[in-house]
Amino acid sequence: MGSGSVFIVFILMALVSITSAIMMLLSKNAVHSALWLVLNFTAIAVLYVVLNAPFIAMVQITVYAGAIMVLFLFVIMLLGAEQLQGIAGVEGSERYHRAVAFVLVGLLVAGFGFALAQSGVGSGGETAVIDASPSALGLRLFEAYVLPFEVTGVLLLAAIIGVAVFTRRKKKEA
């Protein structure tokens, strides 16, 4: 893929990512907000593909856009927080959100298609050989990033315990 086409795809996906993040913040409905976040995660995965990191892109889609978002939606439904009050007070914003979503998804698909068309798969071009196998990536992550990995695990565990405690208190009060 030429540097010009990489730049075009990068700019398109950056616009999709930024706009979907803003729409996520402006959405009144928590489920819609989570769906905007899925679009954001997908745009970031396309950026990883453009940056020649296909394994990280696959992990971004499967872990974040898949598993984590299912967990978020489960917590939203469990707590009954589908409707957020007073965040976006624009009447008739559903049509606006739908229009913006269609435009952003179109840009996402166009950018990804453009990146695939320009990548020259099977062209036999000379590229630098980088060991991007999952085992090499795993070794690198656990050699240099063990402490941040463990801190993130403890932070997520504390968040889960906090949600459980707050939910339990709400049920006792009711």
Side-chain angles (χ1 to χ4, degrees), residues 11-57:
I11 293 299
L12 279 175
M13 291 307 109
L15 287 173
V16 169
S17 180
I18 291 168
T19 308
S20 62
I22 291 169
M23 295 301 288
M24 178 194 68
L25 294 174
L26 294 178
S27 181
K28 279 195 249 183
N29 190 314
V31 175
H32 293 166
S33 186
L35 292 174
W36 283 112
L37 189 58
V38 169
L39 180 61
N40 185 283
F41 286 158
T42 306
I44 291 172
V46 174
L47 286 173
Y48 285 140
V49 169
V50 168
L51 295 173
N52 200 18
F55 180 75
I56 300 296

Side-chain angles (χ1 to χ4, degrees), residues 34-118:
L35 292 174
W36 283 112
L37 189 58
V38 169
L39 180 61
N40 185 283
F41 286 158
T42 306
I44 291 172
V46 174
L47 286 173
Y48 285 140
V49 169
V50 168
L51 295 173
N52 200 18
F55 180 75
I56 300 296
M58 185 268 311
V59 169
Q60 174 77 16
I61 293 294
T62 56
V63 173
Y64 289 107
I68 299 297
M69 288 314 300
V70 168
L71 179 66
F72 281 4
L73 288 171
F74 176 72
V75 169
I76 288 169
M77 297 300 178
L78 178 71
L79 297 178
E82 292 90 5
Q83 298 294 322
L84 300 176
Q85 305 300 327
I87 289 180
V90 179
E91 291 299 322
S93 65
E94 184 176 329
R95 268 191 249 143
Y96 170 70
H97 282 265
R98 189 171 293 150
V100 172
F102 281 125
V103 168
L104 289 178
V105 168
L107 285 174
L108 180 74
V109 170
F112 193 63
F114 187 70
L116 285 177
Q118 297 296 320

Side-chain angles (χ1 to χ4, degrees), residues 148-158:
F149 183 78
E150 293 298 327
V151 167
T152 303
V154 169
L155 182 65
L156 288 172
L157 180 64

